[in-house]
Amino acid sequence: MEIDGEDAAGSEDLLEVETSDVRLPSARHGQRLTIPAKVFKPKLAKTAGRAPAVLMMHGSGGLTKMPGKKQKQLNQDPCSPELEDQYQRWGEELAQRGYVVLMPSSYSARGFCDMHVDKERIPNTFDERPEAILSRLYDMDVAARYLCEMDEVDCDRMGVMGFSHGATMAMLALHWQMDHALDYYRKHSPDREEIDFEMRDLSGQQPRFKVGIAYYPGCGTDGFLPRETDDGADIHNKYFPSADLYVLHASRDDLARICTVDSSVKNATGEREIQSAQVAAERGVDDTYHIEVYPEAGHGFDSDEKEINEPGNPSAAAHARKLALQQLYTHLN
């Protein structure tokens, strides 16, 4: 995928950044949970008008770092208040470029920090993959509405961005703009009776995202989307993003198999890429599913979580960053 210009987001001067901690209200959450979140926003003059915004979903390593020994001894919050470096960088950079960024912390809201190293504290309402996806759909629902209603935000210029499990959530957010995946799961998944909480409706009041950026998602989505690509499968259930989606993946990442037909990915089946093309052809519209596969790169190629992911790939990370910035700029400015 070609990237125009030296800096994909434009050459405007970088802005000063304000950060704050907010709590997304339980009364508006499908599970009646209060969700802590981090906000990054540019310091804008009062005459500057409302800004574009990005909802950012963290991966399975969580939004914040694990607590230090002293914090554990004091039995304080389950997680450190310090963001993982990856999210701190993105929050600051996007706010410097004029975006308001909201990052909900799905895990600390449920009493743990990291799905990989904090397993003993994961509640039984979140310990299965379908439960985690459904729970985070509720998180996105309340977070998107909260972001849309912020005084500084232009709700008509909102994007969604995610990493790993958060990228899967970003993909589902664009699939018929969030509700469709839940409806499909309720009707078709054989595992739906095993969900340990009531599957309430989403609000139906979410803003419509204009673009999505998905860094190395898993595309199987654990029963929330079908994988059939044959002509007899219902076209209305096949995956199709309702706004431009840019999937940034890696050839050595096993999660890429269902996302792409790219021959550099071992055993690629590419159901999502195929489905989106089929839906576009059936409807006579442009295919909004775009994917970039980086050779010799692995899962988390841009992150710092070396204990979970492969060592980073600087070339892939640099290209992906420019592409992400370019598409956010193109669609939201």
Side-chain angles (χ1 to χ4, degrees), residues 91-109:
E92 290 177 352
E93 175 157 22
L94 291 179
Q96 286 172 344
R97 295 177 181 277
Y99 302 93
V100 177
V101 184
L102 176 67
M103 303 179 184
S105 185
S106 293
Y107 296 171
S108 60

Side-chain angles (χ1 to χ4, degrees), residues 143-155:
R145 286 182 287 146
Y146 185 97
L147 182 59
C148 176
E149 293 166 7
M150 290 178 64
D151 292 340
E152 304 91 342
V153 169
D154 181 350
C155 192

Side-chain angles (χ1 to χ4, degrees), residues 132-143:
I133 287 176
L134 179 55
S135 296
R136 299 195 77 193
L137 281 173
Y138 293 130
D139 295 356
M140 286 199 300
D141 180 20
V142 67

Side-chain angles (χ1 to χ4, degrees), residues 121-133:
R121 295 196 292 179
I122 299 175
N124 63 359
T125 55
F126 202 84
D127 59 356
E128 301 294 339
R129 296 289 289 186
E131 291 178 336
I133 287 176

Side-chain angles (χ1 to χ4, degrees), residues 237-248:
N237 289 328
K238 292 180 178 181
Y239 183 73
F240 188 73
S242 50
D244 280 314
L245 170 71
Y246 297 86
V247 178
L248 308 175

Side-chain angles (χ1 to χ4, degrees), residues 24-270:
L24 311 181
S26 60
R28 306 183 72 184
H29 189 275
Q31 296 170 311
R32 301 303 182 257
L33 284 177
T34 300
I35 309 296
K38 178 71 74 172
V39 173
F40 292 81
K41 59 185 179 181
K43 289 185 178 179
L44 297 171
K46 292 183 179 180
T47 56
R50 297 193 175 197
V54 177
L55 173 60
M56 188 169 292
M57 301 298 293
H58 66 74
S60 55
L63 181 66
T64 61
K65 296 181 178 180
M66 291 291 289
K69 290 182 179 179
K70 185 175 181 180
Q71 186 179 356
K72 285 184 177 180
Q73 290 170 352
L74 294 173
N75 196 27
Q76 295 176 340
D77 292 339
C79 307
S80 165
E82 186 178 358
L83 295 188
E84 293 286 358
D85 294 342
Q86 180 184 30
Y87 304 116
Q88 185 71 31
R89 284 198 304 267
W90 271 110
E92 290 177 352
E93 175 157 22
L94 291 179
Q96 286 172 344
R97 295 177 181 277
Y99 302 93
V100 177
V101 184
L102 176 67
M103 303 179 184
S105 185
S106 293
Y107 296 171
S108 60
R110 295 171 172 87
F112 70 102
C113 306
D114 185 317
M115 188 168 278
H116 302 287
V117 299
D118 206 13
K119 294 180 179 180
E120 71 281 358
R121 295 196 292 179
I122 299 175
N124 63 359
T125 55
F126 202 84
D127 59 356
E128 301 294 339
R129 296 289 289 186
E131 291 178 336
I133 287 176
L134 179 55
S135 296
R136 299 195 77 193
L137 281 173
Y138 293 130
D139 295 356
M140 286 199 300
D141 180 20
V142 67
R145 286 182 287 146
Y146 185 97
L147 182 59
C148 176
E149 293 166 7
M150 290 178 64
D151 292 340
E152 304 91 342
V153 169
D154 181 350
C155 192
D156 291 327
R157 293 188 291 156
M158 283 180 53
V160 62
M161 186 173 182
F163 300 82
S164 192
H165 192 269
T168 298
M169 301 311 302
M171 289 182 65
L172 289 177
L174 290 187
H175 179 57
W176 298 77
Q177 295 285 338
M178 211 179 297
D179 299 85
H180 200 57
L182 173 57
D183 291 341
Y184 179 85
Y185 188 84
R186 280 172 164 166
K187 294 175 183 176
H188 299 284
S189 175
D191 300 325
R192 60 189 181 276
E193 300 299 329
E194 298 179 15
I195 297 293
D196 289 328
F197 52 85
E198 180 184 354
M199 285 190 284
R200 293 189 175 98
D201 291 335
L202 299 179
S203 68
Q205 301 171 349
Q206 311 92 350
R208 295 186 66 82
F209 297 111
K210 303 300 184 186
V211 65
I213 308 292
Y215 270 80
Y216 34 85
C219 291
T221 60
D222 299 283
F224 281 83
L225 291 175
R227 290 179 58 179
E228 292 81 9
T229 57
D230 59 89
D231 292 337
D234 188 346
I235 196 75
H236 297 289
N237 289 328
K238 292 180 178 181
Y239 183 73
F240 188 73
S242 50
D244 280 314
L245 170 71
Y246 297 86
V247 178
L248 308 175
H249 232 308
S251 65
R252 294 209 305 259
D253 188 345
D254 190 54
L255 292 180
R257 292 186 305 108
I258 301 173
C259 301
T260 184
V261 296
D262 194 293
S263 60
S264 69
V265 176
K266 185 178 180 181
N267 299 320
T269 54

